[in-house]
Amino acid sequence: MAKVPGAVIAAGGLVGGYGVARWTRKRPLGGAVLAVAGAAAARQWREQAGGKAAGALTVAYVAAFAGSHPLAKKVGAWPSVFGMAGAVALLSWAVADRRD
C-alpha cells in the first residue's frame, strides 16, 4: 500500500480540524482532528527526513494553526485555513516528501 505524503496529512489536518470544529461547533473535536493528523504527519516526516526536519515541520504545522487565526480576520476563515494548509503542504513537500 502506498504511503500518504506528509504534506497531504498535514494539509488535511488543518482543513479537517477547522471543518470539524466549525460544523460540529465543538472546538475540542476539531482540535483532536488537528492533533491526530499532526502526529501522523510528524511520524511520516521523521521516517522520510529525520528527527530535526520532523521537529521543524511540526513547529511549522503548529505555527500555521496559530497564524491562521489573525489572518482570518483579514481574509476570512476559509481562505486563511486553505492558505496556511497550502503553505505547510509546500514546505512539507520541499523538506520531506520529494525525497520519495
Side-chain angles (χ1 to χ4, degrees):
M1 179 174 5
K3 287 185 179 179
V4 177
V8 173
I9 297 168
L14 289 164
V15 172
Y18 175 69
V20 167
R22 180 169 178 155
W23 289 314
T24 65
R25 297 180 187 243
K26 300 201 184 312
R27 292 177 72 182
L29 189 56
V33 170
L34 183 80
V36 168
R43 181 173 175 236
Q44 190 82 344
W45 293 327
R46 183 183 317 260
E47 290 175 4
Q48 291 174 317
K52 286 184 181 180
L57 288 167
T58 300
V59 168
Y61 181 78
V62 172
F65 166 70
S68 68
H69 291 81
L71 182 60
K73 292 178 182 180
K74 296 180 181 196
V75 300
W78 280 112
S80 174
V81 170
F82 284 128
M84 290 297 189
V88 169
L90 183 61
L91 185 61
S92 174
W93 176 82
V95 173
D97 296 331
R98 70 181 174 154
R99 294 174 183 232
D100 282 344

